[in-house]
Amino acid sequence: MSLDADDAGGMKPPAVVLVSGGLDSATVLAIALEQGFACHALSVDYGQRHAVELEAARRAVGRWPGVAHRIVPIDLAAFGGSALTDSEIAVPEEPTDGIPVTYVPARNTVLLALALAWAETLSASRIFIGVNAVDYSGYPDCRPEFVESFEALANVATKEGVEGKRMRIEAPLIHLTKAEIITRGTALGVNYADTISCYQPDPTGAACGRCDSCRLRRAGFAEASLPDPTRYQAPNR
């Protein structure tokens, strides 16, 4: 839902947007800007196995003049338990049953908690996150019930919530297919060549083309009948 400029002085209302460097979060940032928010982009260096994700986040945010961007370090790799934070766990290259090993324990809970802390200091009542419950890998923290539960927590755990300023967790992609997300973002001017979805890109940022995330991304562009700008590693060209 779009918001008008704040009545006091015509200022845009602030919002925190989680930006990972991936396709979905780049789209969510564009949506938040379209809705009239003064966006504060938050990326998290959580110990993921490749730095190109954060480089992609910088590119995705840098496309939009005036968007504040912070990268906050927090070491989820200290706990491991995921192929994305533990180099000893292989990234699957075939579909798997159940919750895959690319799930990072409590990642979205931690990221939203950091976004909530920043939102309070900004007096922002909106946090945007690019979770999706349709074309996704079965992660428990991408479901509507997770988003609803965190929003309820935010409204009892913060000064803003207790004083009556309702906090909203906005997940505008949660019921969209990957093709619908790509179509929406393209219409808003997102440059998907800036983004990376691959779980195991090479040091130059070229995608493997074999992991679950690459398969979903490639299928999304095909279904949307739009060219895929992803730079794949040589064997997949």
Side-chain angles (χ1 to χ4, degrees):
M1 178 176 63
S2 299
L3 289 184
D4 294 328
D6 194 312
D7 289 339
M11 299 295 289
K12 292 182 178 179
V16 175
V17 184
L18 284 164
V19 179
S20 68
L23 180 156
D24 294 338
S25 66
T27 305
V28 166
L29 177 58
I31 290 172
L33 288 165
E34 180 200 32
Q35 291 183 357
F37 288 95
C39 292
H40 298 257
L42 175 62
S43 303
V44 180
D45 181 353
Y46 60 84
Q48 54 267 60
R49 60 192 291 166
H50 55 79
V52 297
E53 180 178 304
L54 294 171
E55 293 166 7
R58 291 187 184 96
R59 291 194 300 269
V61 175
R63 182 171 180 81
W64 307 104
V67 175
H69 188 205
R70 291 190 183 182
I71 298 177
V72 174
I74 183 168
D75 189 16
L76 293 182
F79 307 115
S82 168
L84 301 191
T85 56
D86 186 343
S87 60
E88 298 298 315
I89 302 175
V91 172
E93 295 186 355
E94 298 294 336
T96 58
D97 294 327
I99 298 172
V101 295
T102 50
Y103 163 66
V104 179
R107 178 176 59 181
N108 284 346
T109 305
V110 172
L111 301 191
L112 280 171
L114 292 171
L116 181 60
W118 196 14
E120 274 212 278
T121 69
L122 295 168
S123 294
S125 61
R126 297 290 189 279
I127 296 171
F128 284 78
I129 185 170
V131 292
N132 176 261
V134 181
D135 287 344
Y136 79 125
S137 299
Y139 300 158
D141 55 1
C142 288
R143 299 173 299 157
E145 48 265 61
F146 167 75
V147 174
E148 293 162 6
S149 295
F150 194 93
E151 182 176 292
L153 178 149
N155 282 291
V156 298
T158 60
K159 176 178 181 291
E160 296 281 319
V162 169
E163 292 181 349
K165 185 174 182 180
R166 181 169 176 77
M167 184 70 67
R168 293 280 302 274
I169 309 300
E170 303 285 355
L173 310 184
I174 200 155
H175 297 301
L176 302 184
T177 66
K178 193 66 73 180
E180 290 170 335
I181 293 167
I182 291 168
T183 299
R184 178 79 185 277
T186 298
L188 293 175
V190 176
N191 181 3
Y192 288 117
D194 287 342
T195 67
I196 182 75
S197 300
C198 183
Y199 291 147
Q200 50 183 2
D202 69 17
T204 73
C208 75
R210 302 181 300 276
C211 68
D212 187 46
S213 190
C214 279
R215 287 193 297 271
L216 287 171
R217 180 181 173 113
R218 182 148 45 190
F221 279 104
E223 186 180 340
S225 299
L226 290 169
D228 182 356
T230 308
R231 186 167 55 87
Y232 292 103
Q233 296 167 22
N236 298 288
R237 298 299 293 177

